[in-house]
Amino acid sequence: MESSFFSHVRAAANSFLSEYEPLTLLLAPLLALLIARILQCFVDVVNEKGLKATILGFLITSVKLVPGVKRYIDAEKQKVVDKLQSGSKSKRDGWSTELPRTGLGEGVIEKMKEEKRNDVVWQGKCSGTVYIGGSESEGHFSLINEACSMFAHTNPLHMDVFQSVVRFEVEVVAMTAALLGSKEKASGGQICGNMTSGGTESILLAVKSSRDYMKAKRGITRPEMIIPESAHSAYDKAAQYFNIKLLRVPVNKEFQADVKGIRRCINKNTILIVGSAPGFPHGIIDPIEELGELASSFGICFHVDLCLGGFVLPFARKLGYPIPPFDFSVEGVTSISVDVHKYGLAPKGTSVVLYRNHDIRKHQFVAVTEWSGGLYVSPTIAGSRPGALIAGAWAAMISLGQEGYLNNTRETMEVSKKLQKGIKDIPELFVIGRPDMTIVAFGSNVVDIFEVNDILSSKGWHLNALQRPNSIHICVTLQHVTILEDFLKDLKESVQTVKQNPGPINGGLAPIYGAAGKMPDRGMIRELLVNFMDGTC
């Protein structure tokens, strides 16, 4: 009976297929596979970029195929790149391209002093950048310089030789962890970490460790992470380096991470969600407790970016400012990044990455067993690391102590509140959201804020231009304590100048920022940035 049924099916199939040529029968499955592959690629692109961006990208690519169009676009892009690089190439005239035949010996110090005199005047004029107050030749600056010079030859890779630097790193990590909840019962009592070269490396390591931890725990091999639109660009870098799909979720009306929006994006491949305390653009703390609950409920990792806030928020809370929970006392937080070289007032190139327990941190390490050079294990991305910077960070923290950081936080928080009030008193401007810390972003519905920024630049100020929405921000440091009124005066004058004479100034970047904000082809903007960087470094 069964044999008769299959014979009938085979005969019917052969009869149906006999109407087609053998070549057609051979090519049809291959064509079907090709179409299926094309459809799969299209679906993958839509999932990654969204339907609107995918269609837009296809249309723009199609337009570029028109003879002459691509050549015209490339020429226009080069004009923009040349404008971005204007002046930088001429400054390179006379730069060394090979070793001198005869070295300068100790005379090189005078040569370096001469070059240093060519730097712009940055004291009190930069957003963030230099967080230590006072002069480079005295006070905390001098202390840090001396500490670094004492250990300039050291390398913690050789832990059996430079035991002092190894101790410094362990203590810097422990002291930083204590500021961020390691002593509280809710932390679990296993907080651990390492020092890194900066916030980007700390974030890269946290992402890499989360990826490998979730692979070992849940078997995730196609990892995805979800971040708010305000999260630092280091996560984009981590996604590219570690082959992780990145989803950016728009912030809510308060410019905070949208918890509901992030929840909607979580799926079986999600390894990590991210929150900032505060976010770099607007100085606003994300809802860390809600994000922690979300991460816990799905059993995924949750990283908190405290690169800016780690050495301010604990002390601001002690001073009575209404700071919401943000550290390891929050259930669900699995890792934290915090820069010591910002408000920790350590030398540049010092940050800390922390983990809730050793099970997660172990996935940060790289161990090599098959190398002819012997057995090798490294805790961070770098192999050799500058012991001088570790020593400088330790010196900064030990020299200042809790009282020193409390006083510094009091000064910078007070200045940031005065700055907010001063900006609000300028009718053409508005403050973005409600800043929680020492970063104040502001925009305008009356004047082009990027033109205002160009005028401020001509007066010697170096602020950060932002997008979504178009705005600029200033990150308040100890350098700004004595010059706040000067800044507000120049800001008022710059606003009035643009209001009375709208239009870009020669050499300004307002047209470029304005065009970038309106340009739908984000790929073209990426090309511009890459071409600019390629010609700069």
Side-chain angles (χ1 to χ4, degrees), residues 412-463:
T412 51
M413 288 294 284
E414 287 177 356
V415 170
S416 68
K417 297 304 177 186
K418 291 177 182 177
L419 173 61
Q420 290 181 52
K421 183 181 182 304
I423 292 171
K424 290 177 181 177
D425 287 341
I426 302 174
E428 293 84 2
L429 302 179
F430 60 86
V431 173
I432 306 291
R434 291 176 294 184
D436 291 300
M437 214 183 79
T438 50
I439 299 95
V440 182
F442 52 96
S444 176
N445 293 322
V446 180
V447 295
D448 187 324
I449 197 65
F450 296 135
E451 291 180 14
V452 172
N453 191 35
D454 282 345
I455 300 295
L456 285 169
S457 296
S458 70
K459 294 176 180 288
W461 298 97
H462 303 274
L463 307 188

Short mmCIF file of all heavy atoms in Angstrom, two decimals, residues 412-463:
data_model
loop_
_atom_site.label_atom_id
_atom_site.label_comp_id
_atom_site.label_asym_id
_atom_site.label_seq_id
_atom_site.Cartn_x
_atom_site.Cartn_y
_atom_site.Cartn_z
N THR A 412 32.87 72.92 41.64
CA THR A 412 32.43 72.73 40.26
C THR A 412 30.91 72.65 40.15
O THR A 412 30.33 73.14 39.18
CB THR A 412 33.06 71.45 39.65
OG1 THR A 412 32.84 70.35 40.53
CG2 THR A 412 34.54 71.64 39.43
N MET A 413 30.25 72.05 41.14
CA MET A 413 28.79 71.98 41.12
C MET A 413 28.18 73.38 41.26
O MET A 413 27.20 73.72 40.57
CB MET A 413 28.28 71.07 42.22
CG MET A 413 28.53 69.58 41.99
SD MET A 413 27.61 68.88 40.59
CE MET A 413 25.96 68.74 41.28
N GLU A 414 28.74 74.19 42.12
CA GLU A 414 28.22 75.56 42.30
C GLU A 414 28.40 76.37 41.02
O GLU A 414 27.50 77.12 40.62
CB GLU A 414 28.94 76.24 43.47
CG GLU A 414 28.51 75.71 44.84
CD GLU A 414 29.29 76.35 45.99
OE1 GLU A 414 30.22 77.15 45.70
OE2 GLU A 414 28.99 76.05 47.16
N VAL A 415 29.56 76.22 40.38
CA VAL A 415 29.80 76.95 39.13
C VAL A 415 28.83 76.49 38.04
O VAL A 415 28.30 77.30 37.27
CB VAL A 415 31.26 76.77 38.66
CG1 VAL A 415 31.45 77.33 37.26
CG2 VAL A 415 32.21 77.47 39.62
N SER A 416 28.57 75.18 37.98
CA SER A 416 27.67 74.67 36.94
C SER A 416 26.24 75.18 37.15
O SER A 416 25.53 75.46 36.19
CB SER A 416 27.68 73.14 36.92
OG SER A 416 27.10 72.59 38.08
N LYS A 417 25.81 75.31 38.40
CA LYS A 417 24.47 75.86 38.67
C LYS A 417 24.40 77.33 38.27
O LYS A 417 23.40 77.79 37.70
CB LYS A 417 24.12 75.70 40.15
CG LYS A 417 24.05 74.24 40.62
CD LYS A 417 23.07 73.43 39.80
CE LYS A 417 23.04 71.97 40.22
NZ LYS A 417 22.20 71.13 39.34
N LYS A 418 25.45 78.08 38.56
CA LYS A 418 25.50 79.49 38.15
C LYS A 418 25.52 79.60 36.63
O LYS A 418 24.91 80.51 36.04
CB LYS A 418 26.73 80.17 38.75
CG LYS A 418 26.69 80.34 40.27
CD LYS A 418 27.98 80.96 40.78
CE LYS A 418 27.96 81.10 42.31
NZ LYS A 418 29.26 81.63 42.83
N LEU A 419 26.22 78.67 35.98
CA LEU A 419 26.28 78.67 34.52
C LEU A 419 24.90 78.43 33.93
O LEU A 419 24.49 79.12 32.98
CB LEU A 419 27.26 77.59 34.05
CG LEU A 419 27.33 77.33 32.53
CD1 LEU A 419 27.80 78.60 31.81
CD2 LEU A 419 28.27 76.17 32.24
N GLN A 420 24.16 77.46 34.47
CA GLN A 420 22.80 77.20 33.99
C GLN A 420 21.93 78.44 34.10
O GLN A 420 21.19 78.78 33.18
CB GLN A 420 22.17 76.05 34.78
CG GLN A 420 22.79 74.69 34.50
CD GLN A 420 22.12 73.59 35.31
OE1 GLN A 420 20.90 73.45 35.29
NE2 GLN A 420 22.90 72.81 36.03
N LYS A 421 22.02 79.10 35.25
CA LYS A 421 21.21 80.31 35.45
C LYS A 421 21.61 81.41 34.47
O LYS A 421 20.76 82.09 33.88
CB LYS A 421 21.37 80.83 36.89
CG LYS A 421 20.51 82.05 37.20
CD LYS A 421 20.72 82.54 38.61
CE LYS A 421 19.80 83.73 38.91
NZ LYS A 421 19.97 84.84 37.96
N GLY A 422 22.94 81.55 34.26
CA GLY A 422 23.41 82.57 33.33
C GLY A 422 22.94 82.32 31.91
O GLY A 422 22.59 83.26 31.19
N ILE A 423 22.90 81.06 31.49
CA ILE A 423 22.42 80.72 30.14
C ILE A 423 20.92 80.99 30.03
O ILE A 423 20.44 81.54 29.03
CB ILE A 423 22.75 79.25 29.81
CG1 ILE A 423 24.27 79.08 29.69
CG2 ILE A 423 22.05 78.82 28.53
CD1 ILE A 423 24.71 77.63 29.58
N LYS A 424 20.18 80.62 31.06
CA LYS A 424 18.73 80.84 31.04
C LYS A 424 18.38 82.33 31.02
O LYS A 424 17.30 82.72 30.54
CB LYS A 424 18.08 80.18 32.26
CG LYS A 424 18.09 78.65 32.20
CD LYS A 424 17.52 78.03 33.46
CE LYS A 424 17.55 76.51 33.41
NZ LYS A 424 17.06 75.89 34.66
N ASP A 425 19.28 83.16 31.51
CA ASP A 425 19.05 84.61 31.50
C ASP A 425 19.26 85.23 30.12
O ASP A 425 18.96 86.40 29.91
CB ASP A 425 19.97 85.30 32.52
CG ASP A 425 19.54 85.04 33.96
OD1 ASP A 425 18.37 84.66 34.16
OD2 ASP A 425 20.37 85.20 34.87
N ILE A 426 19.80 84.45 29.18
CA ILE A 426 19.95 84.91 27.80
C ILE A 426 18.72 84.44 27.04
O ILE A 426 18.55 83.25 26.79
CB ILE A 426 21.24 84.35 27.17
CG1 ILE A 426 22.46 84.77 27.99
CG2 ILE A 426 21.38 84.84 25.72
CD1 ILE A 426 23.77 84.14 27.52
N PRO A 427 17.80 85.33 26.68
CA PRO A 427 16.50 84.92 26.13
C PRO A 427 16.57 84.08 24.87
O PRO A 427 15.65 83.31 24.58
CB PRO A 427 15.78 86.26 25.89
CG PRO A 427 16.82 87.31 25.92
CD PRO A 427 17.92 86.79 26.79
N GLU A 428 17.63 84.22 24.08
CA GLU A 428 17.73 83.47 22.82
C GLU A 428 18.16 82.02 23.03
O GLU A 428 18.14 81.22 22.10
CB GLU A 428 18.72 84.15 21.88
CG GLU A 428 18.29 85.51 21.37
CD GLU A 428 18.62 86.63 22.36
OE1 GLU A 428 19.24 86.33 23.42
OE2 GLU A 428 18.30 87.80 22.07
N LEU A 429 18.56 81.66 24.24
CA LEU A 429 19.10 80.33 24.51
C LEU A 429 18.20 79.53 25.45
O LEU A 429 17.41 80.10 26.20
CB LEU A 429 20.50 80.42 25.12
CG LEU A 429 21.57 81.16 24.33
CD1 LEU A 429 22.88 81.17 25.11
CD2 LEU A 429 21.77 80.54 22.95
N PHE A 430 18.33 78.21 25.43
CA PHE A 430 17.67 77.36 26.40
C PHE A 430 18.60 76.20 26.76
O PHE A 430 19.42 75.76 25.95
CB PHE A 430 16.34 76.81 25.86
CG PHE A 430 16.47 75.97 24.62
CD1 PHE A 430 16.75 74.61 24.69
CD2 PHE A 430 16.32 76.55 23.35
CE1 PHE A 430 16.86 73.84 23.54
CE2 PHE A 430 16.44 75.78 22.20
CZ PHE A 430 16.71 74.42 22.29
N VAL A 431 18.51 75.75 28.01
CA VAL A 431 19.31 74.63 28.49
C VAL A 431 18.63 73.32 28.08
O VAL A 431 17.40 73.19 28.17
CB VAL A 431 19.48 74.69 30.02
CG1 VAL A 431 20.18 73.44 30.55
CG2 VAL A 431 20.27 75.94 30.42
N ILE A 432 19.42 72.35 27.63
CA ILE A 432 18.89 71.05 27.23
C ILE A 432 18.59 70.22 28.48
O ILE A 432 19.51 69.87 29.23
CB ILE A 432 19.88 70.28 26.34
CG1 ILE A 432 20.30 71.12 25.12
CG2 ILE A 432 19.29 68.94 25.91
CD1 ILE A 432 19.23 71.35 24.11
N GLY A 433 17.34 69.91 28.71
CA GLY A 433 16.95 69.06 29.84
C GLY A 433 17.29 69.68 31.18
O GLY A 433 17.39 70.90 31.33
N ARG A 434 17.49 68.80 32.16
CA ARG A 434 17.87 69.23 33.51
C ARG A 434 19.17 68.56 33.91
O ARG A 434 19.17 67.43 34.41
CB ARG A 434 16.75 68.87 34.50
CG ARG A 434 15.48 69.69 34.30
CD ARG A 434 14.37 69.25 35.24
NE ARG A 434 13.92 67.89 34.92
CZ ARG A 434 12.92 67.28 35.54
NH1 ARG A 434 12.27 67.90 36.51
NH2 ARG A 434 12.57 66.06 35.19
N PRO A 435 20.29 69.23 33.67
CA PRO A 435 21.60 68.62 33.96
C PRO A 435 21.73 68.22 35.43
O PRO A 435 21.35 68.97 36.33
CB PRO A 435 22.59 69.75 33.61
CG PRO A 435 21.84 70.63 32.66
CD PRO A 435 20.42 70.58 33.10
N ASP A 436 22.25 67.01 35.65
CA ASP A 436 22.44 66.51 37.01
C ASP A 436 23.81 66.83 37.57
O ASP A 436 24.03 66.71 38.78
CB ASP A 436 22.26 64.98 37.03
CG ASP A 436 20.82 64.56 36.78
OD1 ASP A 436 19.96 64.97 37.57
OD2 ASP A 436 20.57 63.85 35.79
N MET A 437 24.74 67.22 36.69
CA MET A 437 26.12 67.32 37.17
C MET A 437 26.77 68.60 36.64
O MET A 437 26.20 69.67 36.74
CB MET A 437 26.89 66.07 36.77
CG MET A 437 27.95 65.63 37.76
SD MET A 437 28.90 64.20 37.20
CE MET A 437 30.05 64.96 36.05
N THR A 438 27.92 68.47 36.05
CA THR A 438 28.74 69.62 35.67
C THR A 438 28.85 69.80 34.16
O THR A 438 29.74 70.52 33.70
CB THR A 438 30.15 69.47 36.27
OG1 THR A 438 30.65 68.17 35.95
CG2 THR A 438 30.11 69.62 37.79
N ILE A 439 27.98 69.15 33.41
CA ILE A 439 27.93 69.35 31.96
C ILE A 439 26.64 70.08 31.64
O ILE A 439 25.56 69.63 32.04
CB ILE A 439 27.98 68.01 31.19
CG1 ILE A 439 29.27 67.26 31.49
CG2 ILE A 439 27.87 68.25 29.68
CD1 ILE A 439 29.13 66.23 32.58
N VAL A 440 26.73 71.20 30.94
CA VAL A 440 25.56 72.00 30.61
C VAL A 440 25.50 72.17 29.09
O VAL A 440 26.40 72.77 28.49
CB VAL A 440 25.60 73.37 31.30
CG1 VAL A 440 24.33 74.16 30.99
CG2 VAL A 440 25.76 73.22 32.81
N ALA A 441 24.44 71.64 28.47
CA ALA A 441 24.23 71.77 27.03
C ALA A 441 23.14 72.80 26.77
O ALA A 441 22.16 72.87 27.52
CB ALA A 441 23.86 70.43 26.42
N PHE A 442 23.30 73.58 25.71
CA PHE A 442 22.28 74.60 25.42
C PHE A 442 22.15 74.78 23.91
O PHE A 442 23.08 74.57 23.14
CB PHE A 442 22.62 75.92 26.10
CG PHE A 442 24.01 76.44 25.86
CD1 PHE A 442 24.28 77.38 24.87
CD2 PHE A 442 25.08 76.00 26.64
CE1 PHE A 442 25.55 77.86 24.65
CE2 PHE A 442 26.38 76.48 26.43
CZ PHE A 442 26.60 77.40 25.43
N GLY A 443 20.93 75.15 23.51
CA GLY A 443 20.63 75.37 22.10
C GLY A 443 19.83 76.65 21.93
O GLY A 443 19.70 77.45 22.86
N SER A 444 19.28 76.84 20.72
CA SER A 444 18.53 78.06 20.45
C SER A 444 17.52 77.82 19.33
O SER A 444 17.78 77.06 18.40
CB SER A 444 19.47 79.19 20.04
OG SER A 444 18.75 80.35 19.67
N ASN A 445 16.36 78.45 19.47
CA ASN A 445 15.36 78.46 18.41
C ASN A 445 15.36 79.78 17.65
O ASN A 445 14.52 80.01 16.78
CB ASN A 445 13.96 78.21 19.00
CG ASN A 445 13.82 76.82 19.57
OD1 ASN A 445 14.34 75.86 19.01
ND2 ASN A 445 13.14 76.70 20.70
N VAL A 446 16.29 80.65 18.02
CA VAL A 446 16.34 82.01 17.45
C VAL A 446 17.55 82.19 16.55
O VAL A 446 17.46 82.78 15.47
CB VAL A 446 16.35 83.07 18.58
CG1 VAL A 446 16.41 84.48 18.00
CG2 VAL A 446 15.13 82.90 19.49
N VAL A 447 18.72 81.71 16.99
CA VAL A 447 19.95 81.86 16.22
C VAL A 447 20.54 80.49 15.94
O VAL A 447 20.18 79.49 16.57
CB VAL A 447 20.98 82.72 16.99
CG1 VAL A 447 20.48 84.15 17.15
CG2 VAL A 447 21.31 82.10 18.35
N ASP A 448 21.45 80.43 14.95
CA ASP A 448 22.15 79.20 14.64
C ASP A 448 23.20 78.96 15.73
O ASP A 448 24.18 79.71 15.85
CB ASP A 448 22.82 79.31 13.27
CG ASP A 448 23.45 78.00 12.80
OD1 ASP A 448 23.98 77.26 13.65
OD2 ASP A 448 23.41 77.73 11.58
N ILE A 449 22.98 77.93 16.54
CA ILE A 449 23.86 77.70 17.69
C ILE A 449 25.29 77.36 17.26
O ILE A 449 26.25 77.65 17.98
CB ILE A 449 23.29 76.59 18.60
CG1 ILE A 449 23.93 76.63 19.99
CG2 ILE A 449 23.44 75.22 17.96
CD1 ILE A 449 23.64 77.87 20.78
N PHE A 450 25.43 76.78 16.05
CA PHE A 450 26.78 76.47 15.58
C PHE A 450 27.53 77.73 15.16
O PHE A 450 28.75 77.81 15.26
CB PHE A 450 26.72 75.46 14.44
CG PHE A 450 26.17 74.12 14.85
CD1 PHE A 450 25.23 73.47 14.06
CD2 PHE A 450 26.57 73.52 16.02
CE1 PHE A 450 24.72 72.24 14.43
CE2 PHE A 450 26.06 72.29 16.41
CZ PHE A 450 25.12 71.65 15.61
N GLU A 451 26.79 78.73 14.67
CA GLU A 451 27.42 80.01 14.37
C GLU A 451 27.86 80.70 15.68
O GLU A 451 28.92 81.34 15.73
CB GLU A 451 26.46 80.90 13.59
CG GLU A 451 26.21 80.41 12.17
CD GLU A 451 25.25 81.31 11.40
OE1 GLU A 451 25.00 82.44 11.86
OE2 GLU A 451 24.74 80.88 10.34
N VAL A 452 27.05 80.55 16.73
CA VAL A 452 27.43 81.08 18.04
C VAL A 452 28.72 80.41 18.50
O VAL A 452 29.64 81.06 19.01
CB VAL A 452 26.31 80.85 19.07
CG1 VAL A 452 26.78 81.22 20.48
CG2 VAL A 452 25.06 81.64 18.71
N ASN A 453 28.79 79.10 18.28
CA ASN A 453 29.99 78.36 18.67
C ASN A 453 31.22 78.85 17.91
O ASN A 453 32.32 78.96 18.48
CB ASN A 453 29.78 76.87 18.43
CG ASN A 453 30.87 76.00 19.04
OD1 ASN A 453 31.39 76.31 20.11
ND2 ASN A 453 31.22 74.92 18.36
N ASP A 454 31.05 79.17 16.63
CA ASP A 454 32.18 79.68 15.84
C ASP A 454 32.66 81.03 16.36
O ASP A 454 33.87 81.29 16.41
CB ASP A 454 31.77 79.81 14.36
CG ASP A 454 31.79 78.47 13.64
OD1 ASP A 454 32.37 77.51 14.17
OD2 ASP A 454 31.20 78.37 12.54
N ILE A 455 31.71 81.89 16.76
CA ILE A 455 32.11 83.18 17.33
C ILE A 455 32.86 82.98 18.64
O ILE A 455 33.89 83.63 18.89
CB ILE A 455 30.87 84.09 17.56
CG1 ILE A 455 30.14 84.36 16.24
CG2 ILE A 455 31.29 85.40 18.21
CD1 ILE A 455 30.94 85.15 15.24
N LEU A 456 32.35 82.06 19.47
CA LEU A 456 33.04 81.76 20.73
C LEU A 456 34.44 81.22 20.47
O LEU A 456 35.39 81.55 21.19
CB LEU A 456 32.23 80.75 21.54
CG LEU A 456 30.98 81.28 22.25
CD1 LEU A 456 30.14 80.12 22.79
CD2 LEU A 456 31.37 82.22 23.39
N SER A 457 34.57 80.41 19.42
CA SER A 457 35.89 79.87 19.06
C SER A 457 36.85 80.99 18.68
O SER A 457 38.04 80.96 19.03
CB SER A 457 35.76 78.88 17.90
OG SER A 457 35.01 77.75 18.28
N SER A 458 36.33 81.99 17.98
CA SER A 458 37.18 83.12 17.59
C SER A 458 37.62 83.93 18.80
O SER A 458 38.60 84.66 18.75
CB SER A 458 36.44 84.03 16.61
OG SER A 458 35.37 84.71 17.25
N LYS A 459 36.89 83.77 19.92
CA LYS A 459 37.26 84.46 21.17
C LYS A 459 38.13 83.58 22.06
O LYS A 459 38.45 83.95 23.19
CB LYS A 459 35.99 84.85 21.94
CG LYS A 459 35.12 85.90 21.24
CD LYS A 459 33.83 86.15 22.04
CE LYS A 459 32.94 87.18 21.36
NZ LYS A 459 33.50 88.55 21.46
N GLY A 460 38.50 82.38 21.55
CA GLY A 460 39.41 81.51 22.28
C GLY A 460 38.78 80.40 23.07
O GLY A 460 39.47 79.62 23.72
N TRP A 461 37.44 80.26 23.00
CA TRP A 461 36.75 79.20 23.74
C TRP A 461 36.68 77.92 22.90
O TRP A 461 36.49 77.98 21.69
CB TRP A 461 35.34 79.63 24.14
CG TRP A 461 35.33 80.82 25.04
CD1 TRP A 461 35.14 82.13 24.67
CD2 TRP A 461 35.54 80.84 26.46
NE1 TRP A 461 35.20 82.96 25.77
CE2 TRP A 461 35.45 82.18 26.88
CE3 TRP A 461 35.78 79.85 27.41
CZ2 TRP A 461 35.61 82.56 28.21
CZ3 TRP A 461 35.93 80.23 28.73
CH2 TRP A 461 35.85 81.56 29.13
N HIS A 462 36.79 76.77 23.56
CA HIS A 462 36.76 75.49 22.86
C HIS A 462 35.65 74.64 23.48
O HIS A 462 35.86 73.96 24.49
CB HIS A 462 38.11 74.78 22.99
CG HIS A 462 39.26 75.59 22.48
ND1 HIS A 462 39.64 75.61 21.15
CD2 HIS A 462 40.09 76.45 23.11
CE1 HIS A 462 40.67 76.43 21.00
NE2 HIS A 462 40.96 76.96 22.17
N LEU A 463 34.47 74.68 22.86
CA LEU A 463 33.32 73.93 23.36
C LEU A 463 33.04 72.73 22.46
O LEU A 463 33.69 72.55 21.43
CB LEU A 463 32.08 74.84 23.42
CG LEU A 463 32.23 76.15 24.19
CD1 LEU A 463 30.88 76.84 24.34
CD2 LEU A 463 32.86 75.93 25.56
#
